[in-house]
Amino acid sequence: MRLHLPLLFALALALSPATALAGPLEDGIAAYKLKDYATALKLLRPLAIGGNATAQYNLGLMYDNGQGVAQNDAEAIKWYKSALKLLRPLAIDGNATAQYYLGLMYGDGQGVAQNDAEAMKWYKLAAAQGNANAQFNLGSTYATGLGAAQDYAEAVKWYRLAAAQGYADAQNSLGVLYRIGKGVAQDYAEAMKWYRLAAAQGYAEAQFNIGVMYDEGKGVAQDYAEAVKWYRLAAAQGDASSLLSVGLRYATGQGAPMDNIRALMWLFLAASAGDATAKKSLILIAEKMTSQQIAKAEKLAQECQARKFKNCD
């Protein structure tokens, strides 16, 4: 039961043997969010070796995903199991953060046999104590039907609880359910409300979703320029769908001046981020361009990527 797990590294409550470790752990969290895995590893490894369960779990995750280290299942399992020894007693004693982590480990089979029922048990215990991460994961479980019977009303219930605590992913997910009318009556204005709350926290998917609403004129007056504004905000974070959308706007002249070089630049970026539609679109646009124009677009894309998608126009 693989779930999207935003802010995973932000869970350091009551899991450190010494409060003095909070600073390095927080710095490791910040480095990870910036995808500076080398720094995250440098900071988290000593904490993990020193017995910090949060660091141990997350070090296991880095080995599991090959982030900052070569992917290594054996090393990942080693750190997951070390974390499990510390987490289980805390979870049994009622620590909500430990309960949430235990839910993750059972849900994904990290250091334990995968067990959806056990994952749900620990998520519910953590969520009942107000743990927003667990509330979000319960919402996602019910929304997707992966790990429990699909139930949109239950998904809305748990998303709403997490969203009320300012959890951006839950706010965006609640917006999606209002937009499609699952678990709640379809309400574009309400969808926009939740998208905007998540977008204000810099949540790229919500920024993209706002762009789509302006594109389609749902819950707001149709405004292609405003749509492009929101796509750009998400694109600046490397969001593949938004990179594609900005490129297509340059190709069509909707909300941005028609410019095949700029269009191809953004489509190169979207394609490199893994968007399959971008790969097809850039071929169609490139057919209308000279080799010099294509080379210029490719150079601009490389420069934009080097700047981490900032100030690319």
Side-chain angles (χ1 to χ4, degrees):
M1 182 175 62
R2 288 275 176 190
L3 299 177
H4 178 49
L5 305 173
L7 304 180
L8 189 58
F9 274 54
L11 303 174
L13 301 177
L15 297 179
S16 170
T19 56
L21 298 181
L25 189 60
E26 289 170 355
D27 290 342
I29 291 166
Y32 184 83
K33 287 182 180 179
L34 294 171
K35 297 185 179 180
D36 181 358
Y37 299 128
T39 299
L41 184 68
K42 179 181 176 181
L43 292 168
L44 292 171
R45 191 192 294 278
L47 300 182
I49 292 170
N52 182 299
T54 304
Q56 289 173 346
Y57 174 82
N58 288 314
L59 188 58
L61 195 66
M62 292 178 77
Y63 276 108
D64 206 353
N65 296 329
Q67 295 169 319
V69 291
Q71 199 282 333
N72 187 319
D73 288 336
E75 197 69 10
I77 290 169
K78 165 189 153 183
W79 288 110
Y80 286 147
K81 287 187 173 180
S82 293
L84 189 66
K85 289 179 183 178
L86 296 172
L87 289 168
R88 193 184 294 280
L90 289 169
I92 292 170
D93 284 345
N95 182 283
T97 304
Q99 290 169 343
Y100 165 68
Y101 267 110
L102 211 53
L104 284 180
M105 298 181 83
Y106 275 108
D108 286 346
Q110 297 165 327
V112 290
Q114 197 279 335
N115 187 320
D116 288 333
E118 197 70 9
M120 289 292 282
K121 164 190 155 183
W122 291 109
Y123 284 150
K124 286 180 178 179
L125 287 170
Q129 297 190 64
N131 184 285
N133 297 280
Q135 290 169 344
F136 171 75
N137 274 14
L138 281 174
S140 295
T141 299
Y142 283 116
T144 61
L146 299 174
Q150 192 171 51
D151 186 332
Y152 286 113
E154 275 295 297
V156 169
K157 166 189 164 183
W158 291 108
Y159 281 152
R160 197 181 298 280
L161 287 169
Q165 298 190 59
Y167 200 95
D169 207 336
Q171 292 169 338
N172 178 69
S173 297
L174 192 55
V176 169
L177 293 183
Y178 271 108
R179 179 173 61 81
I180 64 177
K182 297 288 189 181
V184 288
Q186 190 175 56
D187 187 331
Y188 295 138
E190 193 70 8
M192 282 294 284
K193 165 191 159 183
W194 290 107
Y195 287 156
R196 289 189 188 280
L197 286 169
Q201 299 188 58
Y203 192 73
E205 189 176 332
Q207 293 168 340
F208 170 76
N209 284 337
I210 291 174
V212 171
M213 298 291 271
Y214 275 109
D215 243 345
E216 299 177 354
K218 291 180 176 177
V220 289
Q222 191 173 53
D223 187 330
Y224 293 130
E226 190 69 11
V228 171
K229 165 191 160 184
W230 287 100
Y231 291 148
R232 285 183 189 280
L233 287 171
Q237 299 185 60
D239 180 74
S241 296
S242 299
L243 293 165
L244 169 67
S245 295
V246 175
L248 293 178
R249 292 313 173 273
Y250 274 113
T252 61
Q254 284 186 324
M258 189 174 290
D259 184 332
N260 281 341
I261 291 176
R262 291 288 173 186
L264 199 64
M265 178 196 85
W266 288 105
L267 292 174
F268 272 135
L269 292 168
S272 69
D275 191 285
T277 302
K279 294 174 184 178
K280 296 176 183 177
S281 298
L282 66 84
I283 292 171
L284 294 173
I285 294 173
E287 288 176 348
K288 307 172 187 177
M289 300 169 65
T290 66
S291 58
Q292 291 85 355
Q293 288 172 324
I294 294 170
K296 182 176 180 181
E298 191 169 11
K299 182 172 183 277
L300 288 171
Q302 291 169 350
E303 291 171 350
C304 178
Q305 205 159 35
R307 292 195 298 271
K308 297 184 178 178
F309 307 104
K310 303 296 190 295
N311 303 314
C312 293
D313 273 335

